[in-house]
Amino acid sequence: MVKKIALLGASGSIGQSTLQVVREQSRRMQISIACAHRNSKALFDLAAEFKVPAVIVTDDQLKASLTDVPAGTKVYFGESELLRILKGTEYDLALNAISGSAGLTTTMAVLETGKTLALANKESLVMAGHLVKVLQARHGSKIIPVDSEHSAIFQAIGSHPAKEIARVHITASGGAFRTLPLRDFNKITVEQALKHPNWDMGAKVTLDSATMFNKALEVMEAHWLFDLDWDQVSAVIHPQSVIHSLVEFIDGSLLAQMSVPDMKLPILYALSYPERHHSRLVKTDLAKLATLTFEEIDPQRYPLFYLGVEAGRRGGLLPTVANAANEAALRLFREKKIGFNGIGELVRQAVETEENVANPDLETILSSNRTTYERVISAWQ
Ligand code: NDP
Ligand code: MG
């Protein structure tokens, strides 16, 4: 059977890696829907190559200016059209690789159809994990993780029941500044922060790796994806990024999933699940790996990791507040209005001042996301 895929965030880093997977696996997979926010060039190029019948440009201000639409492709504009098409069109699986909080509404739309969601957009679970669980239960939809750590955990758990899992250990590279002296943190430039030592990723997740806020988001993601208590999710620095995470079982055994760091592997697994397909895309030469090491996460170097996990534990609106403040702070950092240490300070201020609401509905979450973001930005105008 050929799997029909809706590729959301097709122009981004995960989107483009997904295209490499589909190119190799073209007898088994095809793209039937694709979207991007503004990068219509990438969208139309892939529509022409993969003969995609429907594409959506979610920034509808581009409507008037677009040309070069490939023959055989219909173009739609705006987020509401994307949600309508996701709910009303035939496909087998949607891969959500939209970056940041913008991916939440698409996650909800796919889950409402009962279809399978391959999820790269961790922010959906961070902001609305409790609502995602309700939708999954109501519509019987399945989530297959794409994030490499969660793909590793998903693979290592296999068919073991929850009662046999003691905890999971999420690995972290430590990002761009693992060994930089703390006294030099106030001199970090945007260009330095955008260089990841191991992974080739989009800008936001690369910056989040440098602060390790990304790992806090991933602790929350694991809590929701695998129904784990907070004390069952731990994180450890593993600078080589070869062990993508580990599951510790109640008998003391640890199962890890390994490969050289390349997102094409977790993407391929999510798209081929429950099968495994033959592929030449990612090969690991064990003899070349030399050493695998592990370190604790230093709270002085990575305050945003601890702040983020604490927001996750407290729950309600706080994960949304922390995430929105972080998105705003990253924008200010990239615009060179604040320094690297300022990112953590702005997130801390937002978490300490914004009001928390227990068990928020979608509207409250989206509104808090918007207002927190705007408040952090406007304080610097
Ligand atoms: P990129 O920034 O490279 O790509 C983001 C994609 O989302 C682009 O297609 C972009 O379109 C689209 N987009 C941006 N803003 C909006 C919006 N407001 N509405 C709709 N679409 C939008 O991100 P990545 O591919 O790096 O990451 C995507 C997700 O996957 C993130 O949640 C990230 O945390 C997660 N992830 C990424 C990994 C990686 O290796 N990159 C690893 C693990 C998880 P346009 O190009 O037109 O702006
Ligand atoms: Mg990850």
Side-chain angles (χ1 to χ4, degrees), residues 19 23 43-52 70:
L19 295 182
R23 216 170 261 133
L43 200 53
F44 294 171
D45 283 354
L46 78 92
E49 179 185 346
F50 293 88
K51 302 192 170 34
V52 183

Side-chain angles (χ1 to χ4, degrees), residues 61-316:
Q61 292 184 346
L62 297 183
K63 195 168 185 171
S65 58
L66 290 186
T67 52
D68 300 331
V69 179
T73 297
K74 179 123 180 55
V75 188
Y76 302 85
F77 294 90
E79 190 194 352
S80 52
E81 279 296 89
L82 170 62
L83 300 182
R84 185 184 65 77
I85 288 167
L86 284 175
K87 287 180 192 171
T89 314
E90 246 338 287
Y91 56 93
D92 297 303
L93 170 152
L95 194 157
N96 187 357
I98 291 174
S99 64
S101 52
L104 173 56
T105 49
T106 37
T107 285
M108 304 301 262
V110 173
L111 293 177
E112 275 175 36
T113 66
K115 295 191 197 320
T116 300
L117 174 66
L119 187 62
N121 181 267
K122 58 194 88 182
E123 292 84 355
S124 308
L125 286 167
V126 167
M127 297 166 69
H130 59 296
L131 302 180
V132 164
K133 300 305 284 188
V134 170
L135 275 189
Q136 266 193 289
R138 188 178 302 152
H139 300 282
S141 19
K142 203 184 238 86
I143 299 182
I144 318 287
V146 171
D147 211 351
S148 56
E149 296 77 3
H150 305 75
S151 174
I153 294 168
F154 186 76
Q155 293 181 54
I157 289 178
S159 54
H160 286 277
K163 66 178 174 62
E164 293 179 2
I165 299 164
R167 64 184 60 79
V168 300
H169 301 270
I170 300 179
T171 54
S173 69
F177 309 119
R178 187 176 58 85
T179 56
L180 186 76
L182 288 179
R183 62 176 178 278
D184 294 338
F185 266 48
N186 56 1
K187 293 185 224 143
I188 289 172
T189 64
V190 175
E191 293 68 30
Q192 288 167 329
L194 281 171
K195 280 205 190 88
H196 196 284
N198 304 341
W199 296 95
D200 179 11
M201 313 186 283
K204 196 232 168 212
V205 59
T206 304
L207 294 173
D208 283 347
S209 298
T211 62
M212 275 190 62
F213 188 68
N214 181 51
K215 218 41 61 176
L217 298 180
E218 293 186 351
V219 167
M220 297 184 229
E221 185 183 6
H223 162 79
W224 290 112
L225 269 178
F226 305 113
D227 285 321
L228 296 167
D229 291 339
W230 293 103
D231 293 336
Q232 289 181 290
V233 187
S234 71
V236 63
I237 293 184
H238 164 53
Q240 297 80 18
S241 300
V242 167
I243 293 184
H244 300 308
S245 281
L246 310 97
V247 177
E248 183 179 335
F249 291 92
I250 47 176
D251 58 2
S253 193
L254 288 160
L255 289 194
Q257 185 262 341
M258 298 169 60
S259 74
V260 288
D262 189 322
M263 285 308 295
K264 292 194 283 298
L265 204 47
I267 292 170
L268 171 62
Y269 185 75
L271 297 184
S272 57
Y273 179 84
E275 298 172 3
R276 285 189 187 265
H277 293 345
H278 181 266
S279 172
R280 293 179 188 283
L281 290 171
V282 183
K283 293 288 168 215
T284 303
D285 183 343
L286 285 176
K288 286 207 176 114
L289 296 178
T291 49
L292 302 178
T293 58
F294 301 91
E295 297 165 19
E296 301 257 341
I297 302 172
D298 175 2
Q300 270 189 296
R301 186 173 291 274
Y302 301 109
L304 258 177
F305 168 72
Y306 291 94
L307 186 59
V309 171
E310 182 55 26
R313 278 177 178 260
R314 287 168 64 193

